[in-house]
């Protein structure tokens, strides 16, 4: 068997760029048993704050995991099957949005890309309250990932 090229580590800048280009990733939280709990999530990367934000509802299993153990990681695939980025850190979970337009509701609204902003902002903020939405804020203290320079 011949040895192909080795994976090359990506720079912090390349990893941040990869996170900024993607919208979906796999969030890993820790179950009581110590095993990982994996879920595909839509996310928002803020490179200046080195923070990943997620919108979810207060009753989700991952919220309970993070309130008990804040350690988490986000895995994001690159533009091909040979590259990836992982953002690790500790997460905090906001309180549920309870009043349309409160701070949590506004933060959730800001996470939406400009092209996808709701036409009726008031109705959207009311929906967030009805769904008991929260923000998960993953404060990234470690970024790592690789790329493999091969064709196919």
């Amino acid at each position: 068997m011949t040895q192909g090229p080795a994976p090359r580590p990506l720079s912090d800048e390349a990893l941040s760029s990869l996170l900024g280009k993607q919208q979906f990733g796999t969030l890993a939280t820790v179950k009581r048993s110590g095993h990982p709990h994996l879920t595909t999530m839509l996310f928002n990367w803020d490179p200046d704050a080195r923070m990943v934000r997620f919108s979810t509802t207060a009753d989700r299993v991952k919220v309970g995991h993070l309130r008990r153990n804040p350690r988490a990681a986000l895995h994001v695939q690159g533009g091909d099957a040979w590259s990836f980025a992982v953002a690790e850190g500790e997460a905090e979970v906001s309180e549920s949005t309870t009043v349309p337009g409160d701070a949590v509701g506004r933060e959730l609204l800001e996470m939406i890309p400009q092209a996808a902003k709701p036409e009726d902002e008031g109705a959207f903020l009311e929906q967030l309250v009805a769904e008991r939405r929260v923000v998960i804020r993953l404060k990234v203290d470690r970024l790592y990932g690789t790329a493999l320079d091969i064709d196919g």
Side-chain angles (χ1 to χ4, degrees):
M1 178 185 266
T2 60
Q3 179 79 20
R8 87 182 140 76
L10 295 173
S11 68
D12 196 74
E13 182 179 310
L15 292 162
S16 182
S17 176
L18 195 157
L19 284 169
K21 290 177 184 172
Q22 300 297 333
Q23 293 182 6
F24 288 92
T26 303
L27 177 65
T29 59
V30 182
K31 296 179 186 181
R32 279 189 205 278
S33 68
H35 293 93
H37 174 265
L38 304 173
T39 185
T40 301
M41 297 285 295
L42 181 67
F43 70 90
N44 176 275
W45 167 240
D46 180 341
D48 295 329
R50 286 186 70 90
M51 186 176 302
V52 182
R53 288 184 174 86
F54 309 88
S55 170
T56 192
T57 56
D59 60 347
R60 297 291 183 185
V61 169
K62 63 187 147 284
V63 169
H65 293 165
L66 291 170
R67 286 195 169 137
R68 189 180 62 261
N69 181 344
R71 292 179 296 171
L74 174 70
H75 175 274
V76 176
Q77 188 168 336
D80 58 53
W82 307 110
S83 61
F84 70 93
V86 175
E88 287 183 347
E90 292 201 1
E92 65 180 25
V93 180
S94 73
E95 294 301 316
S96 298
T97 179
T98 57
V99 176
D102 63 10
V104 173
R106 290 279 165 206
E107 184 176 0
L108 288 161
L109 183 62
E110 288 174 18
M111 291 166 49
I112 299 171
Q114 191 61 40
K117 294 278 186 198
E119 287 185 28
D120 186 344
E121 190 176 289
F124 178 76
L125 292 168
E126 287 178 16
Q127 180 182 346
L128 296 176
V129 170
E131 293 174 354
R132 300 184 57 231
R133 288 271 159 188
V134 298
V135 177
I136 296 172
R137 301 176 195 102
L138 177 60
K139 297 173 187 174
V140 177
D141 56 32
R142 182 172 180 229
L143 272 179
Y144 64 92
T146 63
L148 190 58
D149 300 317
I150 62 173
D151 293 327

